[in-house]
Amino acid sequence: MKKREIIILCILIAAAFLINGISQVNAEGYDKYNIYINNNKLDKSIAVQEFNGFDYIPINQMQADLSITVKEDKTAKTVVITTREKTVKIKDSVNVEINNSPSSKLDAPLISKENNIYLPIIAAVDIFGWQVEVMDDVRCIRIKTLPNAKPVGMVLEDELSIQNGKTSSPYKKVAYLTFDDGLDAKITPMILDILKQNEIKATFFILGKTVEKNKDLLQRMVDEGHSIGNHTYSHEKSKIYSSAEGLK
């Protein structure tokens, strides 16, 4: 199959998704967002909080829903969070031990405030491996810890139905067409031609190192109303995923 045919096929697949429906999930700041754990929404008093530019969850209020235990020793300045798989000890708010072995330091410190222990959401992902999904339309996040939890799109539609007092969701189904690893002097113009012909807007995630030789092509994307996202500068995974600093 030729490259042009592959590109056309991608656009047709996207059109099929539009017909069958995909629920939109965006990622933005979510201070004060309500929280779902798997399929269940927590009490409205349990919400995301922002401290020093980082988003936190009140982990001690979520113990039963997450099937964990949280114990704080103020004298020893430690917090111990135990799951089915591991025991995580956080000392002096930043130093992490997993199963009694030194591990790493938190990028944002643990915070004890107003009888709550706030864990940065980034630690919930990095240390505990939980999946965090954002539902901007209903100002909620969903923390997924179970593989058989409902797809986040279904959770979103259920929440919209509740908020609107309806049994069926009024949410408009949307598909987003995206392209990674541009710019490419040969392929990208072909894609832009097809999109222009069919009056379709897309999002292009660009490698920084390709911009210098393709400035005119990048400008064409902007002029024709497409969105541009960052897909790293070099795409060298060994550097990007080596550490938090490498990712930054």
Side-chain angles (χ1 to χ4, degrees), residues 82-96:
T82 305
T83 72
R84 293 188 181 94
E85 297 82 20
K86 65 182 72 174
T87 297
V88 176
K89 179 187 288 185
I90 303 172
K91 189 173 183 179
D92 297 323
S93 299
V94 294
N95 297 307
V96 179

Side-chain angles (χ1 to χ4, degrees), residues 30-169:
Y30 32 91
D31 183 31
K32 309 297 184 187
Y33 273 31
N34 294 130
I35 301 172
Y36 271 84
I37 304 295
N38 296 310
N39 302 330
N40 301 315
K41 187 177 183 180
L42 304 187
D43 185 271
K44 288 187 176 181
S45 64
I46 305 174
V48 179
Q49 302 291 327
E50 182 180 316
F51 302 107
N52 301 318
F54 288 91
D55 292 303
Y56 286 77
I57 52 177
I59 194 73
N60 60 305
Q61 295 189 48
M62 303 162 61
Q63 296 182 68
D65 298 278
L66 290 169
S67 298
I68 63 173
T69 60
V70 180
K71 295 182 180 180
E72 182 179 20
D73 187 335
K74 293 185 178 180
T75 302
K77 296 182 179 179
T78 61
V79 172
V80 178
I81 304 172
T82 305
T83 72
R84 293 188 181 94
E85 297 82 20
K86 65 182 72 174
T87 297
V88 176
K89 179 187 288 185
I90 303 172
K91 189 173 183 179
D92 297 323
S93 299
V94 294
N95 297 307
V96 179
E97 291 183 6
I98 298 178
N99 296 334
N100 297 317
S101 297
S103 175
S104 60
K105 289 190 175 182
L106 297 179
D107 289 330
L110 204 70
I111 292 177
S112 295
K113 186 176 182 180
E114 298 175 352
N115 297 319
N116 283 321
I117 299 172
Y118 290 97
L119 179 77
I121 290 179
I122 190 172
V125 177
D126 292 342
I127 295 175
F128 295 97
W130 300 329
Q131 185 176 350
V132 176
E133 299 161 314
V134 183
M135 302 183 290
D136 286 319
D137 297 75
V138 292
R139 295 188 60 80
C140 293
I141 69 164
R142 197 272 283 267
I143 298 175
K144 181 182 176 183
T145 66
L146 301 176
N148 61 346
K150 287 198 299 188
V152 69
M154 293 178 63
V155 176
L156 173 60
E157 291 197 355
D158 289 346
E159 179 64 22
L160 279 165
S161 296
I162 293 170
Q163 290 190 7
N164 288 278
K166 298 179 180 179
T167 55
S168 60
S169 172

Side-chain angles (χ1 to χ4, degrees), residues 11 177 191-202 224 226:
I11 294 175
L177 185 61
I191 295 173
L192 289 172
D193 289 344
I194 295 172
L195 294 174
K196 185 174 182 179
Q197 180 181 350
N198 291 276
E199 299 182 351
I200 296 172
K201 306 302 180 186
E224 294 182 4
H226 301 293

